[in-house]
Amino acid sequence: MLTFQQVTKKYSNGRVALDNVSFHIDEGEFVFLVGSSGAGKSTAIRLIIRQETPTSGDILFEGIKVNKLKGDKLARYRRDIGIVFQDFKLLSARTVAENVAFVLEVSGKPYSFIKKAVDYILDLVGLSDKRNAFPATLSGGEQQRVAIARAIVTEPKMLIADEPTGNLDRSNAWDIIQLFNKINNWGTTVVIATHDTEIVDSLNKRVIRFENGRLVRDNVGGYHF
């Protein structure tokens, strides 16, 4: 599904964030990207979501070079991936339901479809009773659930998360990871960048580890194995 082919990312200040990185993620996999701060995992996420492009090498999604996409083709690609951030990035002036509906509205879906989809997704993430609440009134765990609902309401093929539990306490962090696991069990490919050793150890999924921009490990196991 997703392939990095000898990808290097070098910034104008000379820093090499990724150095000749290659890996492949199959459809339906659950993968953790790990490493210390500055190791390269967040850069990999930004390249996947096309927030940035590589200095050299290619990133392919279902055989299409993501780094070469423009215009409508880039927009279609971005509809195939859901994105969840550490700081939620919710619209403060919109309710929970309106935040989730927003991505469907901008893609031109009819109101009847949007209402059914939002109702279904909010029930799925356990927030039906919060549909009319505003983000500021929610806990951190609830805000992250809204962000996940917004990311999956378009039924993406891949769900990407960058430090999704970084602002949460242990209980909420574990609940959020279990939600990601449930989404993966339905067939969605899940890729999570994290430095949370406890969560990685608990799930025993595939781990891709970066150090100083290089891929140094790719296997199933705990954070340090």
Side-chain angles (χ1 to χ4, degrees):
M1 173 176 261
L2 178 73
T3 303
F4 272 48
Q5 291 183 338
Q6 297 179 309
V7 171
T8 292
K9 178 62 180 180
K10 184 176 182 180
Y11 291 100
S12 58
N13 62 3
R15 183 175 75 88
V16 178
L18 288 180
D19 186 4
N20 197 34
V21 169
S22 296
F23 62 84
H24 177 78
I25 295 174
D26 285 323
E27 182 178 355
E29 279 200 275
F30 190 126
V31 181
F32 285 114
L33 307 182
V34 307
S36 59
S37 178
K41 61 185 185 299
S42 290
T43 299
I45 291 291
R46 289 193 294 273
L47 292 174
I48 294 171
I49 67 177
R50 250 306 291 272
Q51 188 176 347
E52 298 180 1
T53 56
T55 305
S56 62
D58 289 307
I59 300 165
L60 290 85
F61 184 80
E62 297 185 329
I64 297 171
K65 291 183 179 180
V66 174
N67 45 300
K68 304 295 185 183
L69 295 177
K70 296 179 180 179
D72 290 343
K73 291 182 178 179
L74 178 58
R76 283 197 295 271
Y77 166 70
R78 285 178 169 154
R79 286 196 290 270
D80 281 337
I81 57 173
I83 308 164
V84 179
F85 298 98
Q86 179 177 347
D87 57 354
F88 318 135
K89 298 191 183 299
L90 301 178
L91 301 171
S92 61
R94 291 176 179 253
T95 65
V96 167
E98 289 169 345
N99 264 276
V100 178
F102 180 72
V103 292
L104 296 175
E105 292 169 355
V106 298
S107 63
K109 299 294 185 182
Y111 173 78
S112 58
F113 176 90
I114 293 173
K115 186 180 184 306
K116 289 180 181 179
V118 171
D119 288 347
Y120 173 75
I121 290 297
L122 290 183
D123 181 60
L124 195 69
V125 300
L127 289 175
S128 293
D129 61 333
K130 301 285 187 178
R131 61 177 299 111
N132 295 318
F134 288 91
T137 68
L138 304 177
S139 69
E142 289 170 335
Q143 290 186 64
Q144 193 61 290
R145 284 177 178 271
V146 178
I148 293 170
R150 182 181 58 188
I152 65 173
V153 73
T154 57
E155 298 183 323
K157 297 177 180 179
M158 178 177 286
L159 181 60
I160 309 290
D162 191 5
E163 300 287 0
T165 62
N167 289 334
L168 306 179
D169 60 30
R170 282 292 85 192
S171 176
N172 278 316
W174 183 247
D175 287 345
I176 291 301
I177 288 298
Q178 287 301 317
L179 181 54
F180 279 118
N181 202 34
K182 183 188 294 186
I183 293 166
N184 177 245
N185 288 336
W186 294 329
T188 303
T189 306
V190 174
V191 179
I192 299 178
T194 185
H195 64 273
D196 193 318
T197 59
E198 183 179 340
I199 284 174
V200 176
D201 288 344
S202 296
L203 266 68
N204 197 44
K205 299 289 188 179
R206 180 181 172 191
V207 176
I208 295 176
R209 183 179 183 87
F210 296 96
E211 289 182 8
N212 298 319
R214 289 183 173 273
L215 193 157
V216 296
R217 171 199 164 189
D218 184 354
N219 63 353
V220 174
Y223 192 97
H224 295 293
F225 176 69

